[in-house]
Amino acid sequence: MGKQRILSGVQPTGNLHLGNYLGAIRNWVQGQSQYDNYFCVVDLHAITVPHNPATLASDTYNVAALYLACGIDLKYSTIFVQSHIPAHAELTWLLNCITPINWLQDMIQFKEKAVKQGENVATGLLDYPVLMAADILLYEPDKVPVGEDQKQHIELTRDIVNRFNHLFGQGKQILKQPEPLINKEGARVMSLTDGTRKMSKSDPSDLSRINLLDSPDEIAKKIKRCKTDSVRGLVFDDPARPECNNLLTIYMLLSGKTKEEVAAECQDMGWGQFKPLLTEIIIAALKPIQEKYKEVMADKGYLESVLREGRQKAEAVASQTLRKAKIAMGYSMPL
Ligand code: ATP
Ligand code: LTN
């Protein structure tokens, strides 16, 4: 039997941060040799909120370079750009026509992001999860590794698959049902300035997150200023101390220590003792990523060739699935 397939993506909408790394990309890297992997930079999703045309292309390249810098290995994985493959937009249209509008209006991420846009909510923001469903379904993955916040979108994708197959499958599974793959640890890294909100690229305060490309000085400053509490002794899982749980979890994940080891090490510590340790671990974990990133970015030709090859491989898979879906819906599809 061949390897199972994985598909995932990140939007080029700002600086990638520790949440993106620990919740998503690091898991992709750790599991990649077991799977046949497709990793996409979802630049069509990036325009669902107002964007800057002057930086869209470079932001997209930067995310692709960060995939490589974080350890995505082309031996196991294909890296590509969503907008390079027209099938994503085309399948989205087909799925739009069978997706009830109230499914989309009920999505948590839509409701949260729509509030921020005020009067100016684009149709694309509402339709965002259908585009994501198309991204996934075109590659027929077994699993979709994401952070906790994306679970609802994968459930919606599964609902769309059921509906599509029911309407057009004549008893057959035309579109393949994907499973979410959510690692419990790191699935929800919280903001440094508010332990009850997730770390996010779109938080206006840069102090709320550690970006993967932050310098050691910036990291030290952010950890020094991050929100804590006045209790001595650091513990996991105290609902009254969300910041404490978050910082210990980051420390645990980046140090490679177990939860028990960290709990024992930190139970009698105060923040003054813990913060320098955390700072050091973060700087050390990001250093190799930052070095590799510089190398990749110094050779634009190489990055372009990676994305060209990725496009060819991805296109071959996507066009076949799109063809199957169109035929099932009744379109004539001359070869
Ligand atoms: P935005 O703030 O623009 O919505 P984001 O920071 O949430 O962006 P995405 O591009 O939406 O980032 O997410 C990319 C991947 O990173 C997804 O798999 C998502 O689940 C994961 N992710 C994002 N933020 C976190 C977080 N704080 N903790 C764990 N995983 C996260
Ligand atoms: N909505 C996702 C990004 C995304 C994605 C995908 C993730 C777009 N298409 C397909 C997994 C599979 C997010 O992380 N905000």
Side-chain angles (χ1 to χ4, degrees):
M1 221 178 73
K3 286 180 176 173
Q4 286 200 334
R5 188 175 290 162
I6 290 265
L7 176 289
S8 198
V10 173
Q11 309 179 73
T13 45
N15 293 321
L16 261 59
H17 51 73
L18 270 184
N20 300 132
Y21 182 61
L22 295 174
I25 301 173
R26 193 171 88 140
N27 299 328
W28 308 352
V29 171
Q30 287 176 345
Q32 67 181 328
S33 65
Q34 294 171 51
Y35 296 105
D36 173 26
N37 309 276
Y38 286 79
F39 298 121
C40 183
V41 184
V42 290
D43 57 347
L44 296 174
H45 280 103
I47 65 165
T48 56
V49 292
H51 80 288
N52 181 357
T55 58
L56 180 62
S58 58
D59 290 344
T60 302
Y61 272 58
N62 294 350
V63 172
L66 268 172
Y67 285 0
L68 292 167
C70 288
I72 298 296
D73 184 339
L74 300 172
K75 196 157 45 160
Y76 307 114
S77 304
T78 301
I79 299 177
F80 66 102
V81 175
Q82 184 188 36
S83 67
H84 290 175
I85 302 189
H88 290 248
E90 194 173 350
L91 183 61
T92 301
W93 178 254
L94 304 180
L95 299 179
N96 273 339
C97 295
I98 63 151
T99 305
I101 236 175
N102 64 307
W103 289 6
L104 303 178
Q105 286 162 334
D106 288 345
M107 292 283 112
I108 297 165
Q109 186 179 294
F110 171 69
K111 290 194 238 174
E112 284 176 0
K113 291 200 176 180
V115 171
K116 290 190 203 154
Q117 302 304 317
E119 297 284 292
N120 238 330
V121 180
T123 307
L125 187 64
L126 180 68
D127 204 28
Y128 176 116
V130 183
L131 177 59
M132 176 162 164
D135 297 340
I136 295 171
L137 298 174
L138 282 171
Y139 299 91
E140 305 188 313
D142 297 280
K143 296 192 176 128
V144 183
V146 283
E148 182 69 35
D149 61 317
Q150 295 302 311
K151 196 171 168 196
Q152 197 185 34
H153 287 157
I154 300 189
E155 279 160 9
L156 179 96
T157 303
R158 293 176 57 84
D159 291 341
I160 292 176
V161 169
N162 282 337
R163 200 170 168 102
F164 187 97
N165 289 341
H166 173 72
L167 288 170
F168 308 119
Q170 296 181 323
K172 283 198 274 199
Q173 305 289 308
I174 308 290
L175 296 177
K176 179 170 163 161
Q177 204 57 274
E179 300 280 341
L181 183 63
I182 299 174
N183 244 5
K184 200 171 145 277
E185 307 295 355
R188 205 168 158 76
V189 176
M190 308 313 278
S191 156
L192 296 181
T193 46
D194 178 352
T196 63
R197 297 206 348 239
K198 76 163 193 141
M199 188 177 282
S200 162
K201 288 185 237 148
S202 50
D203 191 312
S205 166
D206 198 53
L207 285 175
S208 70
R209 63 187 159 257
I210 303 280
N211 303 306
L212 298 185
L213 299 177
D214 278 348
S215 68
D217 284 350
E218 283 166 319
I219 294 169
K221 183 180 87 183
K222 288 176 179 178
I223 296 299
K224 204 177 249 171
R225 298 223 195 136
C226 76
K227 186 169 175 205
T228 53
D229 52 34
S230 52
V231 186
R232 208 185 154 75
L234 309 181
V235 293
F236 284 102
D237 300 323
D238 179 345
R241 304 181 69 191
E243 288 81 17
C244 185
N245 188 62
N246 187 44
L247 297 173
L248 285 188
T249 304
I250 293 173
Y251 180 69
M252 173 185 82
L253 291 169
L254 294 180
S255 66
K257 293 178 184 169
T258 64
K259 193 167 173 177
E260 291 69 33
E261 284 167 343
V262 173
E265 181 184 353
C266 302
Q267 62 185 347
D268 298 320
M269 275 188 196
W271 291 112
Q273 203 181 347
F274 177 71
K275 281 189 169 185
L277 283 181
L278 178 62
T279 303
E280 210 176 291
I281 281 286
I282 297 175
I283 292 171
L286 296 188
K287 190 165 175 247
I289 295 176
Q290 297 179 351
E291 283 171 359
K292 184 81 204 284
Y293 179 79
K294 265 196 218 130
E295 256 173 55
V296 175
M297 290 306 283
D299 190 350
K300 193 97 192 281
Y302 171 69
L303 189 57
E304 279 169 356
S305 74
V306 168
L307 295 178
R308 201 174 316 118
E309 200 175 305
R311 172 190 188 162
Q312 281 166 2
K313 281 201 196 159
E315 176 108 62
V317 179
S319 62
Q320 278 192 28
T321 314
L322 179 64
R323 184 179 169 82
K324 254 195 321 195
K326 287 179 79 175
I327 290 172
M329 290 180 87
Y331 286 97
S332 68
M333 291 293 292
L335 271 174

PDB file of all heavy atoms in Angstrom, residues 5-9 28 35-40 67 76-80 135 139 141 143 145 310 312-318:
ATOM      1  N   ARG A   5      -1.804  10.379   2.151  1.00  0.00           N
ATOM      2  CA  ARG A   5      -1.491  11.739   1.689  1.00  0.00           C
ATOM      3  C   ARG A   5      -1.930  12.797   2.702  1.00  0.00           C
ATOM      4  O   ARG A   5      -2.959  12.650   3.366  1.00  0.00           O
ATOM      5  CB  ARG A   5      -2.152  11.986   0.343  1.00  0.00           C
ATOM      6  CG  ARG A   5      -1.714  13.296  -0.277  1.00  0.00           C
ATOM      7  CD  ARG A   5      -2.277  13.485  -1.656  1.00  0.00           C
ATOM      8  NE  ARG A   5      -1.687  12.598  -2.623  1.00  0.00           N
ATOM      9  CZ  ARG A   5      -2.243  12.338  -3.811  1.00  0.00           C
ATOM     10  NH1 ARG A   5      -3.379  12.898  -4.146  1.00  0.00           N
ATOM     11  NH2 ARG A   5      -1.644  11.532  -4.657  1.00  0.00           N
ATOM     12  N   ILE A   6      -1.116  13.861   2.763  1.00  0.00           N
ATOM     13  CA  ILE A   6      -1.358  15.018   3.638  1.00  0.00           C
ATOM     14  C   ILE A   6      -1.472  16.274   2.777  1.00  0.00           C
ATOM     15  O   ILE A   6      -0.716  16.433   1.817  1.00  0.00           O
ATOM     16  CB  ILE A   6      -0.120  15.221   4.548  1.00  0.00           C
ATOM     17  CG1 ILE A   6       0.014  14.133   5.589  1.00  0.00           C
ATOM     18  CG2 ILE A   6      -0.077  16.599   5.139  1.00  0.00           C
ATOM     19  CD1 ILE A   6      -0.572  14.441   6.910  1.00  0.00           C
ATOM     20  N   LEU A   7      -2.399  17.164   3.139  1.00  0.00           N
ATOM     21  CA  LEU A   7      -2.458  18.486   2.483  1.00  0.00           C
ATOM     22  C   LEU A   7      -2.648  19.527   3.560  1.00  0.00           C
ATOM     23  O   LEU A   7      -3.477  19.340   4.464  1.00  0.00           O
ATOM     24  CB  LEU A   7      -3.643  18.494   1.502  1.00  0.00           C
ATOM     25  CG  LEU A   7      -4.044  19.748   0.710  1.00  0.00           C
ATOM     26  CD1 LEU A   7      -4.668  20.854   1.555  1.00  0.00           C
ATOM     27  CD2 LEU A   7      -2.903  20.336  -0.099  1.00  0.00           C
ATOM     28  N   SER A   8      -1.880  20.612   3.507  1.00  0.00           N
ATOM     29  CA  SER A   8      -2.171  21.732   4.398  1.00  0.00           C
ATOM     30  C   SER A   8      -1.659  23.036   3.795  1.00  0.00           C
ATOM     31  O   SER A   8      -0.988  23.017   2.757  1.00  0.00           O
ATOM     32  CB  SER A   8      -1.582  21.505   5.799  1.00  0.00           C
ATOM     33  OG  SER A   8      -2.223  22.367   6.715  1.00  0.00           O
ATOM     34  N   GLY A   9      -1.978  24.142   4.465  1.00  0.00           N
ATOM     35  CA  GLY A   9      -1.566  25.443   3.936  1.00  0.00           C
ATOM     36  C   GLY A   9      -1.562  26.530   4.983  1.00  0.00           C
ATOM     37  O   GLY A   9      -2.162  26.397   6.043  1.00  0.00           O
ATOM     38  N   TRP A  28       3.968  19.184  10.450  1.00  0.00           N
ATOM     39  CA  TRP A  28       4.154  18.721   9.072  1.00  0.00           C
ATOM     40  C   TRP A  28       5.554  18.128   8.919  1.00  0.00           C
ATOM     41  O   TRP A  28       5.738  17.070   8.323  1.00  0.00           O
ATOM     42  CB  TRP A  28       4.045  19.850   8.044  1.00  0.00           C
ATOM     43  CG  TRP A  28       2.833  20.712   8.095  1.00  0.00           C
ATOM     44  CD1 TRP A  28       1.694  20.550   8.849  1.00  0.00           C
ATOM     45  CD2 TRP A  28       2.639  21.914   7.347  1.00  0.00           C
ATOM     46  NE1 TRP A  28       0.826  21.568   8.591  1.00  0.00           N
ATOM     47  CE2 TRP A  28       1.376  22.426   7.685  1.00  0.00           C
ATOM     48  CE3 TRP A  28       3.422  22.610   6.415  1.00  0.00           C
ATOM     49  CZ2 TRP A  28       0.869  23.597   7.118  1.00  0.00           C
ATOM     50  CZ3 TRP A  28       2.922  23.772   5.854  1.00  0.00           C
ATOM     51  CH2 TRP A  28       1.654  24.257   6.210  1.00  0.00           C
ATOM     52  N   TYR A  35       4.430  10.257   5.094  1.00  0.00           N
ATOM     53  CA  TYR A  35       3.308  10.603   4.205  1.00  0.00           C
ATOM     54  C   TYR A  35       3.799  11.097   2.852  1.00  0.00           C
ATOM     55  O   TYR A  35       4.971  11.442   2.680  1.00  0.00           O
ATOM     56  CB  TYR A  35       2.479  11.735   4.843  1.00  0.00           C
ATOM     57  CG  TYR A  35       1.809  11.380   6.146  1.00  0.00           C
ATOM     58  CD1 TYR A  35       2.303  11.865   7.357  1.00  0.00           C
ATOM     59  CD2 TYR A  35       0.667  10.577   6.175  1.00  0.00           C
ATOM     60  CE1 TYR A  35       1.680  11.563   8.563  1.00  0.00           C
ATOM     61  CE2 TYR A  35       0.044  10.265   7.372  1.00  0.00           C
ATOM     62  CZ  TYR A  35       0.543  10.752   8.567  1.00  0.00           C
ATOM     63  OH  TYR A  35      -0.076  10.447   9.753  1.00  0.00           O
ATOM     64  N   ASP A  36       2.846  11.210   1.931  1.00  0.00           N
ATOM     65  CA  ASP A  36       3.060  11.909   0.670  1.00  0.00           C
ATOM     66  C   ASP A  36       2.420  13.286   0.882  1.00  0.00           C
ATOM     67  O   ASP A  36       1.205  13.385   1.048  1.00  0.00           O
ATOM     68  CB  ASP A  36       2.321  11.107  -0.417  1.00  0.00           C
ATOM     69  CG  ASP A  36       2.318  11.812  -1.746  1.00  0.00           C
ATOM     70  OD1 ASP A  36       3.236  12.602  -1.994  1.00  0.00           O
ATOM     71  OD2 ASP A  36       1.382  11.572  -2.540  1.00  0.00           O
ATOM     72  N   ASN A  37       3.235  14.352   0.932  1.00  0.00           N
ATOM     73  CA  ASN A  37       2.753  15.642   1.454  1.00  0.00           C
ATOM     74  C   ASN A  37       2.605  16.730   0.391  1.00  0.00           C
ATOM     75  O   ASN A  37       3.486  16.884  -0.461  1.00  0.00           O
ATOM     76  CB  ASN A  37       3.760  16.185   2.478  1.00  0.00           C
ATOM     77  CG  ASN A  37       4.128  15.166   3.523  1.00  0.00           C
ATOM     78  OD1 ASN A  37       3.429  14.990   4.505  1.00  0.00           O
ATOM     79  ND2 ASN A  37       5.241  14.449   3.298  1.00  0.00           N
ATOM     80  N   TYR A  38       1.541  17.496   0.501  1.00  0.00           N
ATOM     81  CA  TYR A  38       1.324  18.679  -0.341  1.00  0.00           C
ATOM     82  C   TYR A  38       1.141  19.888   0.566  1.00  0.00           C
ATOM     83  O   TYR A  38       0.195  19.917   1.362  1.00  0.00           O
ATOM     84  CB  TYR A  38       0.088  18.485  -1.229  1.00  0.00           C
ATOM     85  CG  TYR A  38       0.356  17.517  -2.352  1.00  0.00           C
ATOM     86  CD1 TYR A  38       0.341  16.150  -2.125  1.00  0.00           C
ATOM     87  CD2 TYR A  38       0.683  17.969  -3.623  1.00  0.00           C
ATOM     88  CE1 TYR A  38       0.632  15.250  -3.137  1.00  0.00           C
ATOM     89  CE2 TYR A  38       0.973  17.078  -4.647  1.00  0.00           C
ATOM     90  CZ  TYR A  38       0.952  15.729  -4.396  1.00  0.00           C
ATOM     91  OH  TYR A  38       1.253  14.851  -5.402  1.00  0.00           O
ATOM     92  N   PHE A  39       2.040  20.862   0.462  1.00  0.00           N
ATOM     93  CA  PHE A  39       1.938  22.066   1.284  1.00  0.00           C
ATOM     94  C   PHE A  39       1.802  23.287   0.378  1.00  0.00           C
ATOM     95  O   PHE A  39       2.633  23.534  -0.500  1.00  0.00           O
ATOM     96  CB  PHE A  39       3.157  22.199   2.207  1.00  0.00           C
ATOM     97  CG  PHE A  39       3.269  21.058   3.175  1.00  0.00           C
ATOM     98  CD1 PHE A  39       4.388  20.245   3.192  1.00  0.00           C
ATOM     99  CD2 PHE A  39       2.225  20.768   4.055  1.00  0.00           C
ATOM    100  CE1 PHE A  39       4.481  19.169   4.073  1.00  0.00           C
ATOM    101  CE2 PHE A  39       2.301  19.698   4.934  1.00  0.00           C
ATOM    102  CZ  PHE A  39       3.432  18.897   4.944  1.00  0.00           C
ATOM    103  N   CYS A  40       0.759  24.031   0.655  1.00  0.00           N
ATOM    104  CA  CYS A  40       0.344  25.091  -0.245  1.00  0.00           C
ATOM    105  C   CYS A  40       0.512  26.439   0.465  1.00  0.00           C
ATOM    106  O   CYS A  40       0.342  26.519   1.681  1.00  0.00           O
ATOM    107  CB  CYS A  40      -1.142  24.782  -0.474  1.00  0.00           C
ATOM    108  SG  CYS A  40      -2.006  25.793  -1.583  1.00  0.00           S
ATOM    109  N   TYR A  67       8.686  27.565   4.762  1.00  0.00           N
ATOM    110  CA  TYR A  67       8.408  26.119   4.768  1.00  0.00           C
ATOM    111  C   TYR A  67       9.743  25.355   4.670  1.00  0.00           C
ATOM    112  O   TYR A  67      10.010  24.429   5.444  1.00  0.00           O
ATOM    113  CB  TYR A  67       7.531  25.714   3.580  1.00  0.00           C
ATOM    114  CG  TYR A  67       6.054  26.058   3.626  1.00  0.00           C
ATOM    115  CD1 TYR A  67       5.487  26.724   4.705  1.00  0.00           C
ATOM    116  CD2 TYR A  67       5.215  25.701   2.573  1.00  0.00           C
ATOM    117  CE1 TYR A  67       4.132  27.019   4.721  1.00  0.00           C
ATOM    118  CE2 TYR A  67       3.858  25.985   2.579  1.00  0.00           C
ATOM    119  CZ  TYR A  67       3.321  26.648   3.658  1.00  0.00           C
ATOM    120  OH  TYR A  67       1.978  26.926   3.665  1.00  0.00           O
ATOM    121  N   TYR A  76      10.087  14.346   0.328  1.00  0.00           N
ATOM    122  CA  TYR A  76       8.791  13.807   0.777  1.00  0.00           C
ATOM    123  C   TYR A  76       7.614  14.722   0.427  1.00  0.00           C
ATOM    124  O   TYR A  76       6.468  14.305   0.548  1.00  0.00           O
ATOM    125  CB  TYR A  76       8.780  13.641   2.302  1.00  0.00           C
ATOM    126  CG  TYR A  76       9.940  12.849   2.843  1.00  0.00           C
ATOM    127  CD1 TYR A  76      10.890  13.457   3.656  1.00  0.00           C
ATOM    128  CD2 TYR A  76      10.080  11.491   2.542  1.00  0.00           C
ATOM    129  CE1 TYR A  76      11.962  12.736   4.158  1.00  0.00           C
ATOM    130  CE2 TYR A  76      11.153  10.768   3.040  1.00  0.00           C
ATOM    131  CZ  TYR A  76      12.088  11.400   3.842  1.00  0.00           C
ATOM    132  OH  TYR A  76      13.138  10.688   4.330  1.00  0.00           O
ATOM    133  N   SER A  77       7.922  15.976   0.113  1.00  0.00           N
ATOM    134  CA  SER A  77       6.854  16.982   0.088  1.00  0.00           C
ATOM    135  C   SER A  77       6.874  17.826  -1.171  1.00  0.00           C
ATOM    136  O   SER A  77       7.937  18.093  -1.736  1.00  0.00           O
ATOM    137  CB  SER A  77       7.016  17.926   1.301  1.00  0.00           C
ATOM    138  OG  SER A  77       7.025  17.185   2.488  1.00  0.00           O
ATOM    139  N   THR A  78       5.694  18.279  -1.552  1.00  0.00           N
ATOM    140  CA  THR A  78       5.534  19.196  -2.676  1.00  0.00           C
ATOM    141  C   THR A  78       5.078  20.538  -2.120  1.00  0.00           C
ATOM    142  O   THR A  78       4.117  20.588  -1.353  1.00  0.00           O
ATOM    143  CB  THR A  78       4.455  18.637  -3.632  1.00  0.00           C
ATOM    144  OG1 THR A  78       4.883  17.354  -4.078  1.00  0.00           O
ATOM    145  CG2 THR A  78       4.228  19.541  -4.816  1.00  0.00           C
ATOM    146  N   ILE A  79       5.795  21.603  -2.485  1.00  0.00           N
ATOM    147  CA  ILE A  79       5.415  22.953  -2.034  1.00  0.00           C
ATOM    148  C   ILE A  79       4.903  23.723  -3.245  1.00  0.00           C
ATOM    149  O   ILE A  79       5.564  23.745  -4.291  1.00  0.00           O
ATOM    150  CB  ILE A  79       6.633  23.688  -1.424  1.00  0.00           C
ATOM    151  CG1 ILE A  79       7.163  22.924  -0.207  1.00  0.00           C
ATOM    152  CG2 ILE A  79       6.270  25.122  -1.047  1.00  0.00           C
ATOM    153  CD1 ILE A  79       8.424  23.550   0.406  1.00  0.00           C
ATOM    154  N   PHE A  80       3.734  24.342  -3.117  1.00  0.00           N
ATOM    155  CA  PHE A  80       3.203  25.076  -4.266  1.00  0.00           C
ATOM    156  C   PHE A  80       2.349  26.253  -3.810  1.00  0.00           C
ATOM    157  O   PHE A  80       2.028  26.399  -2.631  1.00  0.00           O
ATOM    158  CB  PHE A  80       2.401  24.143  -5.191  1.00  0.00           C
ATOM    159  CG  PHE A  80       1.143  23.582  -4.575  1.00  0.00           C
ATOM    160  CD1 PHE A  80      -0.104  24.121  -4.899  1.00  0.00           C
ATOM    161  CD2 PHE A  80       1.188  22.527  -3.677  1.00  0.00           C
ATOM    162  CE1 PHE A  80      -1.271  23.617  -4.346  1.00  0.00           C
ATOM    163  CE2 PHE A  80       0.018  22.011  -3.109  1.00  0.00           C
ATOM    164  CZ  PHE A  80      -1.206  22.557  -3.443  1.00  0.00           C
ATOM    165  N   ASP A 135      -9.329  23.450  -1.789  1.00  0.00           N
ATOM    166  CA  ASP A 135      -7.878  23.193  -1.627  1.00  0.00           C
ATOM    167  C   ASP A 135      -7.655  21.748  -1.194  1.00  0.00           C
ATOM    168  O   ASP A 135      -6.768  21.056  -1.683  1.00  0.00           O
ATOM    169  CB  ASP A 135      -7.268  24.043  -0.500  1.00  0.00           C
ATOM    170  CG  ASP A 135      -7.344  25.526  -0.740  1.00  0.00           C
ATOM    171  OD1 ASP A 135      -7.511  25.932  -1.899  1.00  0.00           O
ATOM    172  OD2 ASP A 135      -7.232  26.279   0.258  1.00  0.00           O
ATOM    173  N   TYR A 139      -6.778  17.384  -3.721  1.00  0.00           N
ATOM    174  CA  TYR A 139      -5.593  16.522  -3.555  1.00  0.00           C
ATOM    175  C   TYR A 139      -5.940  15.181  -2.901  1.00  0.00           C
ATOM    176  O   TYR A 139      -5.052  14.379  -2.641  1.00  0.00           O
ATOM    177  CB  TYR A 139      -4.492  17.297  -2.796  1.00  0.00           C
ATOM    178  CG  TYR A 139      -4.131  18.501  -3.624  1.00  0.00           C
ATOM    179  CD1 TYR A 139      -4.783  19.718  -3.436  1.00  0.00           C
ATOM    180  CD2 TYR A 139      -3.259  18.384  -4.692  1.00  0.00           C
ATOM    181  CE1 TYR A 139      -4.546  20.795  -4.268  1.00  0.00           C
ATOM    182  CE2 TYR A 139      -3.004  19.453  -5.538  1.00  0.00           C
ATOM    183  CZ  TYR A 139      -3.656  20.662  -5.312  1.00  0.00           C
ATOM    184  OH  TYR A 139      -3.431  21.705  -6.168  1.00  0.00           O
ATOM    185  N   PRO A 141      -6.518  14.164   0.102  1.00  0.00           N
ATOM    186  CA  PRO A 141      -5.655  13.753   1.214  1.00  0.00           C
ATOM    187  C   PRO A 141      -6.414  12.861   2.189  1.00  0.00           C
ATOM    188  O   PRO A 141      -7.636  12.943   2.298  1.00  0.00           O
ATOM    189  CB  PRO A 141      -5.317  15.084   1.898  1.00  0.00           C
ATOM    190  CG  PRO A 141      -6.507  15.945   1.629  1.00  0.00           C
ATOM    191  CD  PRO A 141      -6.995  15.549   0.253  1.00  0.00           C
ATOM    192  N   LYS A 143      -5.334  13.020   5.428  1.00  0.00           N
ATOM    193  CA  LYS A 143      -5.327  13.843   6.639  1.00  0.00           C
ATOM    194  C   LYS A 143      -4.943  15.282   6.343  1.00  0.00           C
ATOM    195  O   LYS A 143      -4.151  15.543   5.433  1.00  0.00           O
ATOM    196  CB  LYS A 143      -4.321  13.268   7.633  1.00  0.00           C
ATOM    197  CG  LYS A 143      -4.729  11.879   8.089  1.00  0.00           C
ATOM    198  CD  LYS A 143      -3.917  11.423   9.267  1.00  0.00           C
ATOM    199  CE  LYS A 143      -4.432  10.069   9.726  1.00  0.00           C
ATOM    200  NZ  LYS A 143      -3.351   9.096   9.838  1.00  0.00           N
ATOM    201  N   PRO A 145      -3.365  18.304   8.515  1.00  0.00           N
ATOM    202  CA  PRO A 145      -2.815  18.753   9.796  1.00  0.00           C
ATOM    203  C   PRO A 145      -2.951  20.267   9.969  1.00  0.00           C
ATOM    204  O   PRO A 145      -2.441  21.037   9.165  1.00  0.00           O
ATOM    205  CB  PRO A 145      -1.331  18.355   9.706  1.00  0.00           C
ATOM    206  CG  PRO A 145      -1.040  18.281   8.235  1.00  0.00           C
ATOM    207  CD  PRO A 145      -2.327  18.040   7.507  1.00  0.00           C
ATOM    208  N   GLY A 310       6.682  22.283  -7.968  1.00  0.00           N
ATOM    209  CA  GLY A 310       5.516  22.029  -7.117  1.00  0.00           C
ATOM    210  C   GLY A 310       4.238  22.235  -7.894  1.00  0.00           C
ATOM    211  O   GLY A 310       3.280  21.453  -7.802  1.00  0.00           O
ATOM    212  N   GLN A 312       3.772  21.927 -11.087  1.00  0.00           N
ATOM    213  CA  GLN A 312       3.529  20.836 -12.048  1.00  0.00           C
ATOM    214  C   GLN A 312       2.954  19.603 -11.357  1.00  0.00           C
ATOM    215  O   GLN A 312       1.992  19.006 -11.820  1.00  0.00           O
ATOM    216  CB  GLN A 312       4.825  20.459 -12.761  1.00  0.00           C
ATOM    217  CG  GLN A 312       5.152  21.436 -13.862  1.00  0.00           C
ATOM    218  CD  GLN A 312       6.581  21.310 -14.366  1.00  0.00           C
ATOM    219  OE1 GLN A 312       7.335  20.448 -13.913  1.00  0.00           O
ATOM    220  NE2 GLN A 312       6.962  22.175 -15.282  1.00  0.00           N
ATOM    221  N   LYS A 313       3.549  19.246 -10.222  1.00  0.00           N
ATOM    222  CA  LYS A 313       3.083  18.045  -9.516  1.00  0.00           C
ATOM    223  C   LYS A 313       1.662  18.241  -9.005  1.00  0.00           C
ATOM    224  O   LYS A 313       0.815  17.364  -9.116  1.00  0.00           O
ATOM    225  CB  LYS A 313       3.986  17.762  -8.323  1.00  0.00           C
ATOM    226  CG  LYS A 313       5.268  17.091  -8.675  1.00  0.00           C
ATOM    227  CD  LYS A 313       5.782  16.416  -7.406  1.00  0.00           C
ATOM    228  CE  LYS A 313       7.219  16.024  -7.505  1.00  0.00           C
ATOM    229  NZ  LYS A 313       7.841  15.843  -6.201  1.00  0.00           N
ATOM    230  N   ALA A 314       1.412  19.414  -8.423  1.00  0.00           N
ATOM    231  CA  ALA A 314       0.103  19.667  -7.833  1.00  0.00           C
ATOM    232  C   ALA A 314      -0.964  19.735  -8.926  1.00  0.00           C
ATOM    233  O   ALA A 314      -2.053  19.185  -8.800  1.00  0.00           O
ATOM    234  CB  ALA A 314       0.141  20.964  -7.027  1.00  0.00           C
ATOM    235  N   GLU A 315      -0.610  20.396 -10.007  1.00  0.00           N
ATOM    236  CA  GLU A 315      -1.567  20.553 -11.113  1.00  0.00           C
ATOM    237  C   GLU A 315      -2.020  19.191 -11.652  1.00  0.00           C
ATOM    238  O   GLU A 315      -3.196  18.981 -11.956  1.00  0.00           O
ATOM    239  CB  GLU A 315      -0.890  21.352 -12.237  1.00  0.00           C
ATOM    240  CG  GLU A 315      -1.731  21.504 -13.481  1.00  0.00           C
ATOM    241  CD  GLU A 315      -2.241  22.920 -13.621  1.00  0.00           C
ATOM    242  OE1 GLU A 315      -1.391  23.825 -13.741  1.00  0.00           O
ATOM    243  OE2 GLU A 315      -3.466  23.107 -13.587  1.00  0.00           O
ATOM    244  N   ALA A 316      -1.087  18.257 -11.748  1.00  0.00           N
ATOM    245  CA  ALA A 316      -1.418  16.935 -12.294  1.00  0.00           C
ATOM    246  C   ALA A 316      -2.473  16.245 -11.426  1.00  0.00           C
ATOM    247  O   ALA A 316      -3.409  15.640 -11.935  1.00  0.00           O
ATOM    248  CB  ALA A 316      -0.156  16.080 -12.378  1.00  0.00           C
ATOM    249  N   VAL A 317      -2.338  16.388 -10.105  1.00  0.00           N
ATOM    250  CA  VAL A 317      -3.305  15.757  -9.207  1.00  0.00           C
ATOM    251  C   VAL A 317      -4.630  16.519  -9.241  1.00  0.00           C
ATOM    252  O   VAL A 317      -5.711  15.931  -9.377  1.00  0.00           O
ATOM    253  CB  VAL A 317      -2.763  15.734  -7.750  1.00  0.00           C
ATOM    254  CG1 VAL A 317      -3.776  15.100  -6.805  1.00  0.00           C
ATOM    255  CG2 VAL A 317      -1.429  15.011  -7.681  1.00  0.00           C
ATOM    256  N   ALA A 318      -4.537  17.846  -9.145  1.00  0.00           N
ATOM    257  CA  ALA A 318      -5.744  18.672  -9.025  1.00  0.00           C
ATOM    258  C   ALA A 318      -6.620  18.563 -10.270  1.00  0.00           C
ATOM    259  O   ALA A 318      -7.849  18.480 -10.171  1.00  0.00           O
ATOM    260  CB  ALA A 318      -5.341  20.129  -8.787  1.00  0.00           C
TER     261      ALA A 318
END
